């Protein structure tokens, strides 16, 4: 099938045919987490959305270089350039080295994304590992006349930039409105223009994370980090730049300005933004305090949660909404998603139990379903439509299993392949390991206890004792009671 993938480009505000700059190769940069605290479920939604996009591009046969950074320096409180370094602040509070904070939350981030079964990016660069690239870029921007230094801090000259460029190209906002809405901040009078932002910041004495640069001992601004790392690994111009919608107005707007001022080209051809996960309509965020952690969601240990949900049920919940729609969290929505996820997984497991017939007699055209699944994904990665198509397959599989329709070996293999491609490979869903494991263990223990009981009845005490001892040596204790044999882990 010929693929006609269309993606919504924030830059042009329309769906465009996806044509990578270099045929068959895709360069994709996604803004990663700021690792000074645990990632919340909202952050995970963005990374799961880009995982779906990454997986689909791979499925289509593109060679994808997916770069997702770790922000481990210089991200200041708020969107302005005032305030403390988040890492230094937390480090001081906990009496830790800033790098201990970074290590702890980077590992936590990886653990969580692994639970959600996301594929690792091709490169995961850190801001602290790319200070020299950032300094070099700031230097080039100064040389090109778009930045100036005051007292060791370097600012991007937005006033100069807007004379030749469209600064608000990404969001189409009115510059006058932006100026009127930007507060005059204390201690910022060294900036020439109200919208100017820092590229390099001179460290105050209390700042722990600091590096020598031509202008001062200091640290990089947040925006320059992504411009420098995307340029290093993907070139001056690459295919997709992504992140949450909340980043478009400031972070990505400034990234475009920096890259244009440095390289004289738009950095990315397609800008893709994921919508927010909300709680009672309000954006989930670290600062609003409504951000529960994935771990709390899995255990159910949070006042907003009635019970826990497995990572795969939550991934399914996220994929049931299109990435550009908001997704509101509720227990009811998660309950419904869990049921849907289980129906899908049960149908896949039934496929192994179906005995093929000599001939196929089904009321569905499988080629048609496959084409409709591709059409859903080709239409800006529309996972909710894809899921609806797959439920048509669930109905078919159940009906075959119940003996109402029949398939031969070849058709059964075709159905298995279709479910594998779209559910496992593209949507990244798998049978919940935890639930699956405990089910298997319960079944195996029933079997072993049954064999031991038989041995005892046959007065084969050598075998029954051996079973007890060998289970004990691997940490499982058997307890005989009048209700039967119970077991527990020691
Ligand atoms: P941060 O660690 O705050 O820089 O955020 C990491 C990523 O998560 C960014 O791409 C944000 O846009 C995204 N993000 C933050 N809050 C939410 C939310 N409530 N829903 C979806 N994505 C979010
Ligand atoms: Zn970024």
């Amino acid at each position: 099938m010929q693929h006609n993938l269309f993606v919504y480009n924030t830059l042009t505000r329309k769906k465009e045919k996806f044509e990578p700059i270099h045929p068959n190769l895709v360069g994709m940069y996604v803004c990663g987490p700021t690792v000074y605290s645990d990632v919340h479920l909202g952050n995970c939604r963005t990374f799961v959305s880009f995982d779906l996009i990454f997986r689909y591009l791979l499925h289509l046969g593109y060679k994808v270089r997916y770069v997702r950074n770790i922000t481990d320096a210089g991200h200041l409180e708020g969107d302005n350039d005032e305030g403390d370094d988040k890492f230094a602040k937390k480090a001081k509070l906990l009496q830790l080295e800033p790098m201990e904070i970074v290590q702890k939350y980077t590992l936590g981030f990886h653990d969580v994304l692994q639970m959600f079964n996301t594929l690792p990016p091709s490169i995961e660069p850190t801001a602290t590992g790319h200070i020299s690239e950032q300094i070099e870029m700031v230097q080039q921007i100064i040389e090109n006349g778009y930045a100036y230094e005051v007292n060791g801090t370097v600012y991007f000259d937005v006033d100069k930039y807007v004379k030749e460029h469209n600064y608000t190209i990404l969001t189409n906002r009115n510059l006058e409105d932006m100026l009127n809405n930007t507060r005059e901040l204390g201690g910022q009078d060294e900036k020439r223009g109200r919208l100017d932002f820092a590229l390099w910041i001179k460290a105050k004495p209390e700042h722990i994370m600091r590096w020598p640069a031509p202008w001062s001992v200091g640290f990089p601004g947040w925006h320059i980090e992504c411009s420098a790392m995307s340029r290093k690994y993907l070139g001056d111009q690459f295919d997709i730049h992504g992140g949450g919608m909340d980043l478009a107005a400031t972070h990505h707007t400034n990234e475009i300005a920096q890259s244009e001022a440095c390289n004289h080209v738009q950095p990315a051809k397609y800008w893709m933004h994921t919508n927010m996960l909300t709680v009672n309509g309000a954006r989930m965020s670290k600062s609003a305090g409504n951000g529960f952690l994935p771990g709390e969601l899995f255990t159910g240990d949070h006042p907003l949660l009635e019970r826990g949900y497995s990572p795969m049920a939550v991934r399914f919940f996220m994929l049931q909404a299109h990435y550009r729609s908001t997704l509101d969290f509720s227990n009811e929505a998660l309950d419904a998603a869990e049921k849907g996820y289980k129906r899908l997984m049960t149908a896949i497991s039934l496929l192994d139990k179906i005995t093929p017939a000599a001939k196929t007699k089904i009321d569905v055209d499988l080629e048609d379903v496959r084409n409709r699944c591709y059409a859903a994904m080709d239409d800006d990665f529309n996972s909710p439509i894809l899921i609806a198509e797959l439920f048509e397959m669930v109905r078919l599989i159940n009906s075959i299993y119940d003996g109402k329709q029949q398939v031969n070996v070849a058709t059964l293999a075709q159905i298995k392949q279709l479910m594998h491609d779209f559910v496992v490979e593209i949507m990244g869903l798998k049978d919940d390991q935890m639930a699956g494991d405990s089910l298997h263990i319960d079944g195996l223990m029933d079997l072993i206890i049954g064999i031991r009981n038989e041995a005892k009845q046959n007065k084969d005490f050598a075998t029954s004792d051996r079973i007890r001892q060998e289970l004990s040596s691997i940490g499982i204790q058997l307890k005989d009671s009048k209700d039967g044999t119970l077991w527990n882990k020691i």
Side-chain angles (χ1 to χ4, degrees), residues 39-50 109 112-113 116 118 294 318:
V39 286
H40 58 65
L41 200 66
N43 304 128
C44 294
R45 183 189 182 199
T46 286
F47 300 123
V48 166
S49 298
F50 281 103
F109 170 64
V112 165
L113 284 198
F116 280 122
T118 62
M318 292 176 177

Side-chain angles (χ1 to χ4, degrees), residues 33-34 40 42-43 46-47 244 246-247 275-277 283-284 286:
T34 310
H40 58 65
N43 304 128
T46 286
F47 300 123
D246 55 321
L247 300 185
N275 213 326
M276 297 290 110
L277 180 76
R283 182 190 139 193
M284 184 180 277
K286 278 169 196 160

Side-chain angles (χ1 to χ4, degrees), residues 116-133:
F116 280 122
N117 200 27
T118 62
L119 299 174
S122 331
I123 304 177
E124 196 171 43
T126 60
T128 53
H130 296 77
I131 300 292
S132 63
E133 285 83 353

Side-chain angles (χ1 to χ4, degrees), residues 29 31 69 222 226 241 251-252 255:
Y29 186 93
C31 293
N69 69 299
W222 172 33
C226 288
H241 193 313
H251 182 52
H252 292 163
E255 264 190 60

